[in-house]
Amino acid sequence: MLRVYDDCPTNVRKRDEILVSPEAGRFGRMLAFFRQFFMASYKSRSAQRYLRSHASIDYEKRRHLRHYTHIIHPFSLFSLFEREKEIPWRSLHSLAHRHWWDTLMILTVAAGLIAFPYQAAFDMSRSDSLSWTVVKNTLILLCCCDIVINFLTGYYDKLQSIVELKPKVIAGIYIKKGFIFDFLGSFPTDFFFIHIWHQYIVAREVLSLFYVFRIFSFLTYTDRLARDYEVRRALYDFISTIFWLIIALHWQACLYWIVPIAVVSMTSPERPHNDSWINSVGLWDDSSDSNKYGHCILRAVATFMHSGFLVRTEPRTEEDQYLVIIFHFLGTLMFCFLIARVMQFFKGINSSKLKYQAALAHLSQYMSHKQLPRKTQNRIVDYYEFRFQRRFFREPEILSILSMHMRQEIRMHSCRKLVENVTFFNNLPLSLLARIVALLKSEIFLTNDLIVKANQTGDCMYFIATGTVAVYTLTGKEVCHLEDGAHFGEIALVMPDAKRVASVVAVETCKLYKLERADFARTIHPYPMLWERIKKIAIERHEKTTILNSQ
């Protein structure tokens, strides 16, 4: 198909002048280079979806430069997706899909969700204090930067179909929808303990668990990134459910260690109560953090699966009993949610197969109601299997949604080679060839179906897309087999009174395309010279075929 690309130097120059005037110096051009990453971009899918034209994007750039210089545009290279006002709040709190920034924040939050509880539980005294403290506060600093960026990034309001860049409106939406959770999850709690660092070790580590509030922003980042890369929703939900299951078990394991210690003392870590499961197993005196974590994760899995407890790990203390009750309840909810997600995932990837099975069930009921013979039922089922390849879809509905140009492109992809193989269609203009292809109608013939009968007047020709047919003379003698890409019956297009000189029978299930004479005549009528050439070739072929049959 013809592709058009707008490489006009004049247009490109005018778009560049939006950012910087021709008289700008080196510093101005450098500033414009960095500024373009925060302005509406022609490469943004959201800009193409909502603004739809280069003129609209140019208008957004001018409006951005004149009134909102310090705001990040939601359709910029820095913000490659929209923030939509009417979607749920967890997708709102971040003001735009920032492709690279969101990827960084996903990695940051994921690392924090794994490291924070583990360090709080099994390295309370921070034996390697400086390195973990630096890493921890670096992650929190990135989260604080994310809050600032959220206040500075616009969003697309679908209700009014406008890009909102007003700072007060942006701040108001963010404060209402997600700021509180981001603030709690990003607060540098270590600052509270600078002067009492070694006095309140347990309290310091427990407060660091406020990082868990960043899970809401994490959900937003991953959801937008999945939409940007057009990940199937069922697959995304399945993978995210597995991820959150792992995180839940990890936090549960760490809390099994933190809570018994925090109940005893919020200052320095002290041995839990004698009845605690930690003392029962003898883990307190174990110097291996990996061994401690291993016992905790086994207990977490056992609680989640409702499979009882390991030897000497039964909940005996009050705080442990409360923990087990809470985690039993959450485990039940998570298990039900996981089953629902798994079923949704497999239903999503097999939706067309399930629809096909449902269609076969309806078909079976219909055939039973009509009391069709078993042989006819089997042939109908074979037709369905060949037609849909065990995956049900409604082609007329799909094609009705597409534009005429796209329907034509699909037809040309499927049938162009078939038509070009016909001798008298060689060297036809592309526009005429496309019109002929658009007239083709698909038909399916089962094994032993009679497609055309000898000595009858024909009104169409056939193109073989898939399958094999046998050609028989008037006397019933088999002449040859025709396979994929072949054609027959073309004489009927130009000779209305000519009778079929052979019969054609399907050797196996075949998919053919039919071109009717009336449609072809209307299409070729504006080209009288082509019509005469095609007619001459057809008559010559008919005469040769008649001579061969008489021999």
Side-chain angles (χ1 to χ4, degrees):
M1 303 301 293
L2 181 63
R3 304 290 184 190
V4 179
Y5 300 95
D6 182 15
D7 292 330
C8 178
T10 304
N11 291 341
V12 175
R13 185 168 59 252
K14 286 181 179 179
R15 291 165 190 162
D16 290 341
E17 289 174 359
I18 296 174
L19 291 172
V20 57
S21 64
E23 294 81 14
R26 180 178 298 177
F27 178 78
R29 293 187 176 277
M30 187 178 299
L31 181 63
F33 174 77
F34 288 106
R35 184 180 291 167
Q36 69 179 342
F37 292 102
F38 302 96
M39 301 181 63
S41 172
Y42 307 104
K43 298 179 181 180
S44 169
R45 294 182 182 178
S46 299
Q48 297 171 9
R49 183 183 305 136
Y50 295 114
L51 301 181
R52 298 199 172 191
S53 68
H54 284 287
S56 298
I57 297 175
D58 291 341
Y59 171 78
E60 278 298 308
K61 286 187 174 184
R62 294 188 182 95
R63 185 170 74 98
H64 191 180
L65 282 176
R66 289 172 185 171
H67 305 291
Y68 310 104
T69 309
H70 302 294
I71 299 297
I72 302 172
H73 200 283
F75 300 152
S76 64
L77 294 177
F78 186 73
S79 318
L80 287 178
F81 209 81
E82 77 282 359
R83 175 191 175 199
E84 298 170 1
K85 189 171 180 180
E86 71 274 19
I87 59 181
W89 73 266
R90 68 190 182 115
S91 295
L92 277 171
H93 89 280
S94 175
L95 302 184
H97 177 92
R98 295 170 293 278
H99 181 76
W100 297 110
W101 180 257
D102 277 5
T103 303
L104 175 62
M105 289 308 302
I106 288 173
L107 297 176
T108 299
V109 176
L113 289 174
I114 295 172
F116 275 58
Y118 183 86
Q119 291 292 331
F122 304 105
D123 192 18
M124 284 188 175
S125 59
R126 301 197 187 180
S127 55
D128 191 7
S129 179
L130 181 61
S131 61
W132 167 241
T133 302
V134 171
V135 171
K136 171 187 174 181
N137 287 283
T138 300
L139 295 177
I140 290 177
L141 178 61
L142 287 172
C143 292
C144 293
C145 292
D146 182 57
I147 293 177
V148 175
I149 290 173
N150 286 338
F151 276 111
L152 296 177
T153 309
Y155 67 90
Y156 182 76
D157 187 347
K158 276 190 171 181
L159 297 178
Q160 302 183 49
S161 298
I162 61 171
V163 177
E164 185 59 72
L165 298 176
K166 296 178 182 177
K168 290 184 178 180
V169 178
I170 294 170
I173 290 292
Y174 180 44
I175 290 172
K176 291 178 182 178
K177 303 301 181 180
F179 170 72
I180 298 299
F181 295 100
D182 284 355
F183 177 77
L184 291 175
S186 306
F187 197 83
T189 54
D190 281 357
F191 288 166
F192 287 129
F193 301 92
I194 292 178
H195 300 294
I196 50 174
W197 190 262
H198 296 289
Q199 285 79 6
Y200 289 90
I201 295 175
V202 178
R204 182 189 69 204
E205 298 305 318
V206 169
L207 279 181
S208 70
L209 298 180
F210 270 57
Y211 192 81
V212 71
F213 286 105
R214 290 298 307 195
I215 64 174
F216 299 106
S217 60
F218 185 86
L219 288 170
T220 301
Y221 303 141
T222 54
D223 183 69
R224 287 199 305 251
L225 203 63
R227 284 189 289 166
D228 186 52
Y229 284 105
E230 299 179 351
V231 178
R232 286 185 299 176
R233 190 69 197 184
L235 177 62
Y236 165 73
D237 288 340
F238 178 73
I239 294 175
S240 63
T241 301
I242 298 298
F243 172 80
W244 287 116
L245 174 61
I246 295 172
I247 293 296
L249 290 174
H250 174 69
W251 274 73
Q252 184 177 337
C254 296
L255 288 175
Y256 273 137
W257 187 269
I258 295 173
V259 172
I261 297 174
V263 169
V264 174
S265 172
M266 291 296 287
T267 54
S268 298
E270 296 181 9
R271 180 185 290 271
H273 294 126
N274 292 330
D275 292 336
S276 173
W277 76 277
I278 296 176
N279 287 323
S280 299
V281 182
L283 288 178
W284 183 258
D285 298 321
D286 195 330
S287 60
S288 173
D289 290 340
S290 61
N291 192 32
K292 295 174 183 178
Y293 179 75
H295 275 79
C296 291
I297 198 69
L298 282 175
R299 197 167 192 257
V301 172
T303 304
F304 175 79
M305 299 297 295
H306 296 254
S307 57
F309 297 94
L310 301 175
V311 179
R312 294 182 295 171
T313 64
E314 299 87 353
R316 297 175 182 175
T317 62
E318 185 177 353
E319 67 274 5
D320 204 19
Q321 290 174 354
Y322 282 128
L323 266 182
V324 169
I325 292 173
I326 293 172
F327 289 145
H328 264 304
F329 177 71
L330 294 178
T332 302
L333 291 180
M334 179 67 77
F335 192 70
C336 294
F337 187 73
L338 177 62
I339 292 176
R341 289 301 191 191
V342 170
M343 292 179 64
Q344 183 182 14
F345 171 69
F346 284 104
K347 183 179 179 180
I349 62 176
N350 295 300
S351 60
S352 60
K353 293 182 180 179
L354 294 174
K355 290 179 181 178
Y356 173 76
Q357 293 173 3
L360 277 189
H362 285 292
L363 178 64
S364 178
Q365 293 294 327
Y366 171 78
M367 293 188 297
S368 299
H369 175 71
K370 292 294 184 180
Q371 298 181 348
L372 299 178
R374 177 58 58 183
K375 183 178 180 180
T376 303
Q377 291 187 25
N378 291 337
R379 283 173 56 80
I380 294 175
V381 171
D382 290 342
Y383 181 93
Y384 260 68
E385 288 184 356
F386 186 87
R387 172 69 177 82
F388 295 107
Q389 299 295 306
R390 298 183 181 273
R391 289 176 172 82
F392 187 78
F393 53 88
R394 293 183 173 90
E395 187 175 17
E397 292 183 13
I398 296 173
L399 294 177
S400 66
I401 296 173
L402 299 178
S403 66
M404 182 178 67
H405 178 79
M406 296 183 70
R407 291 197 298 268
Q408 180 178 329
E409 188 171 345
I410 293 173
R411 282 283 191 176
M412 289 292 284
H413 172 76
S414 303
C415 307
R416 179 175 177 176
K417 293 297 182 182
L418 297 176
V419 175
E420 287 180 339
N421 286 338
V422 181
T423 305
F424 52 69
F425 286 164
N426 288 342
N427 303 319
L428 286 183
L430 184 61
S431 58
L432 180 57
L433 193 65
R435 292 175 64 184
I436 292 174
V437 167
L439 298 173
L440 299 181
K441 301 173 183 177
S442 64
E443 290 189 2
I444 294 174
F445 293 90
L446 301 179
T447 305
N448 296 325
D449 279 354
L450 180 64
I451 302 172
V452 298
K453 188 176 182 179
N455 211 29
Q456 287 188 349
T457 304
D459 60 354
C460 63
M461 73 169 294
Y462 290 94
F463 304 89
I464 304 175
T466 59
T468 305
V469 300
V471 181
Y472 295 90
T473 63
L474 291 170
T475 58
K477 180 182 178 181
E478 183 175 327
V479 178
C480 64
H481 282 186
L482 300 177
E483 299 178 339
D484 299 7
H487 60 273
F488 56 89
E490 65 273 19
I491 306 300
L493 294 182
V494 294
M495 300 180 64
D497 299 327
K499 295 185 181 295
R500 302 285 192 188
V501 296
S503 297
V504 180
V505 178
V507 176
E508 57 183 345
T509 304
C510 302
K511 181 179 181 180
L512 309 181
Y513 285 97
K514 180 173 70 173
L515 176 60
E516 296 183 352
R517 180 174 60 237
D519 294 333
F520 176 72
R522 283 194 301 270
T523 304
I524 201 70
H525 181 72
Y527 305 89
M529 296 182 65
L530 285 175
W531 170 253
E532 291 300 326
R533 181 172 67 85
I534 290 173
K535 189 175 181 179
K536 181 179 178 181
I537 295 173
I539 292 174
E540 291 176 354
R541 293 195 59 180
H542 180 66
E543 291 175 350
K544 292 179 180 179
T545 305
T546 303
I547 294 173
L548 290 174
N549 286 336
S550 62
Q551 291 177 353

